[in-house]
Amino acid sequence: MSRPPLEVADVVRQHGAAFLAHYGPTLSGEQHRALRAIAVCRTPALGGHITQCDHCGHEVQAYNSCRHRCCPKCHGTAQAAWLAAREREVLETPYVHVIFTLPHDLSALALQNPRHLYGLLFRTVAQTLQDIAGNPKHLGAEIGGFAVLHTWGQQLHHHPHLHCVLPAGGLAAHGARWVPCRPHFFLPVRVLSRRFRHLYVAGLAQTYAQGQLTFTGRCRALTEPTPWQRLLATLRDQEWVVYAKEPIQDPQHVLQYLARYAHRIAISNHRLVALEHGQVTFRYKDYQRGHRLRTLTLDAMEFLRRLLLHVPRMGSTGYGTSASWPIGCARRSSRNAALCWGRRRDSLPGKRPWTSRRLR
């Protein structure tokens, strides 16, 4: 892929100082570090290295990367490393992709309490999938997979949702056989939605009762029982969004599919269109109008504010960029896995045809 003419780093370098002057006191240490890392990535500030071909001796000089998880230029390396580590784990079976979304009413509370609300999201989604898949009416099997948290929408608003990628089936009782799902159907979405809502609201009420939540700003009123119960009632009355795609039939494509979701960032450099007169224009996909590509123009300060909503805080595992947590027990033992899934791929990376050394 060619290098984009405009980068998020350009926005940070041109408008980062003004942004910090306005919002600096309200930012966390992680957000300050993310801005600096993006600004200096692949610049003389981080030094450089020389890459030399072992065959012809050709040398290429390059500046070092910041390797920050929120940097648009560095996620490719993490994606490749994750992909290599997962090569032996993909099973010779179709896979399904299920997405669980938190209601908008919880957005402000989640920003103030990411560790508790996102941790609860992972736990309740895992429990939901296990409960429904384990029911003989639906699949009657024990399932496993990965869940990846994204906190953004296409326009960079706060939109927390969990991408779950699972084998299209599971282990029967005692792991004696593999139970596949139907060819074009995994689990009933409405049943998943109702169970997800019930478990999450119950867990949220328990967390509140234990005094573990923080309430500031517009959430301060929730410290009183009446507004809190009103919020819970609103959440119970809503239809929670769960979306399930048809199973991916060819497991050869599963790894690339997994990698795209496991190491995705809020916005890539290739989506940026223009940076003019203090405004940033970028492309986004309009899901409400047939997935059409449209453009949105924001003030540079607002663009950076939205971008930093998705920088992980210390102690909130994976919030912001992504986090992969196992769901259930995907392989209870190597003997059962071999029995149910057959041989796994054995793919070892070959020797790299180049060497690298750091510049002084």
Side-chain angles (χ1 to χ4, degrees), residues 10 38 66 80 93 161 173 212 232 257 279 307 326 341 357-358:
D10 297 322
I38 293 172
C66 67
T93 183
H161 53 285
Q212 298 182 27
L232 294 184
Y257 189 84
Q279 294 184 317
L307 179 68
W341 298 317
R357 65 181 187 271
R358 186 177 296 275

Side-chain angles (χ1 to χ4, degrees), residues 41 77 80 82 84 87 110 116 119 122 130 137 228 287 289 303 315 318:
C41 184
T77 302
W82 188 92
E87 279 185 332
H116 292 298
F122 274 104
Q130 290 169 358
K137 291 173 54 179
W228 175 254
Y287 290 111
R289 293 175 175 82
F303 175 84

Side-chain angles (χ1 to χ4, degrees), residues 79-92:
Q79 178 178 330
W82 188 92
L83 181 61
R86 299 284 85 79
E87 279 185 332
R88 297 184 180 181
E89 298 181 2
V90 170
L91 312 175
E92 296 293 341

Side-chain angles (χ1 to χ4, degrees), residues 130-171:
Q130 290 169 358
D131 289 349
I132 305 306
N135 190 327
K137 291 173 54 179
H138 303 300
L139 186 63
E142 182 181 9
I143 62 172
F146 288 93
V148 180
L149 173 66
H150 291 171
T151 60
W152 54 82
Q154 282 283 302
Q155 298 182 34
L156 300 184
H157 289 301
H158 187 241
H159 179 67
H161 53 285
L162 209 60
H163 292 270
C164 304
V165 183
L166 314 94
L171 291 174

Side-chain angles (χ1 to χ4, degrees), residues 42 65 67 71-84 263:
R42 299 184 190 177
S65 300
R67 298 186 181 182
C71 177
K73 288 185 287 192
C74 293
H75 70 288
T77 302
Q79 178 178 330
W82 188 92
L83 181 61
H263 289 279

